[in-house]
Amino acid sequence: MSNDHFCLKCGTRLSLKMIEDRLREVCENCGWVNYEQIKLSAGALVERGGKVLLVQRAYDPWYGCWHFPSGYIEVDEAPERAAEREVREESGLVITCGELVNAYLYQDDPRGNGVILIYRAASIKGEPTGSPETLQSRFFDREEVLHLPLAGQSGNQEVNDWLASKKNGHGND
């Protein structure tokens, strides 16, 4: 945390102070406190014929690695709509979200720590295609997934949970 930031209310340079047992940026002029917040993302577990949809990242971090289609939730968006939008943007598929599968904490993203909400796709239309955000998107069976480089802490957790569900004979498609 640096002190080269400025107050969002009055434009004064922020200083660092201990508040609530944490070092925080504070405006000495108007008292505004910068409470940093965790990022919130949403994505979908999309299955077809016993295979899972993964997208390959076209940019850093984790360029070339695979993960469930997902991304940040916009300020005016419900998490389920964000997951549906991200699947469409990253894979070309149109889905409707079903139940919440899980929430995963990630602390290894250089853009900031966050939580990702993963929803099960209740319906799927179309075929996977590439996009400006992905090098490719496609469905993988359990054996194929075992050999893929995965994108970060949450990508590993999501895919490993899916693999465990397939090993135990669970899962939908």
Side-chain angles (χ1 to χ4, degrees):
M1 190 181 315
S2 78
N3 59 357
D4 61 347
H5 296 138
F6 296 87
C7 179
L8 296 179
K9 288 188 168 188
C10 72
T12 302
R13 183 180 300 275
L14 298 174
S15 59
L16 297 175
K17 272 186 153 176
M18 285 300 285
I19 297 177
E20 300 165 345
D21 297 323
R22 288 184 178 260
L23 194 58
R24 300 187 192 276
E25 293 177 317
V26 178
C27 179
E28 299 289 344
N29 184 50
C30 71
W32 181 79
V33 179
N34 180 21
Y35 289 96
E36 289 190 343
Q37 300 167 351
I38 200 163
K39 297 181 178 301
L40 186 58
S41 301
L45 168 57
V46 182
E47 293 180 284
R48 183 184 278 167
K51 297 181 176 186
V52 67
L53 176 70
L54 297 177
V55 296
Q56 188 179 33
R57 292 182 62 84
Y59 49 86
D60 283 323
W62 303 291
Y63 175 87
C65 294
W66 296 85
H67 64 94
F68 290 177
S70 58
Y72 296 127
I73 300 171
E74 298 288 345
V75 69
D76 61 348
E77 206 172 29
E80 298 91 333
R81 300 304 76 83
E84 292 166 356
R85 174 182 53 76
E86 288 291 343
V87 170
R88 186 176 59 256
E89 287 176 1
E90 294 183 353
S91 74
L93 293 175
V94 176
I95 67 157
T96 302
C97 282
E99 81 258 30
L100 179 67
V101 174
N102 210 335
Y104 299 94
L105 173 67
Y106 56 89
Q107 298 177 303
D108 61 341
D109 191 322
R111 299 166 296 177
N113 296 340
V115 171
I116 183 167
L117 306 173
I118 298 294
Y119 294 89
R120 186 174 307 282
S123 67
I124 309 162
K125 294 179 183 135
E127 294 300 323
T129 62
S131 79
E133 297 180 35
T134 59
L135 298 173
Q136 58 181 314
S137 63
R138 61 177 273 237
F139 287 95
F140 292 91
D141 65 29
R142 185 180 187 289
E143 197 57 40
E144 292 171 311
V145 169
L146 293 172
H147 307 288
L148 295 175
L150 300 176
Q153 184 179 9
S154 64
N156 276 283
Q157 292 172 335
E158 297 157 14
V159 171
N160 286 330
D161 281 357
W162 179 80
L163 287 167
S165 76
K166 290 300 171 188
K167 184 177 182 181
N168 296 328
H170 299 109
N172 297 346
D173 58 32

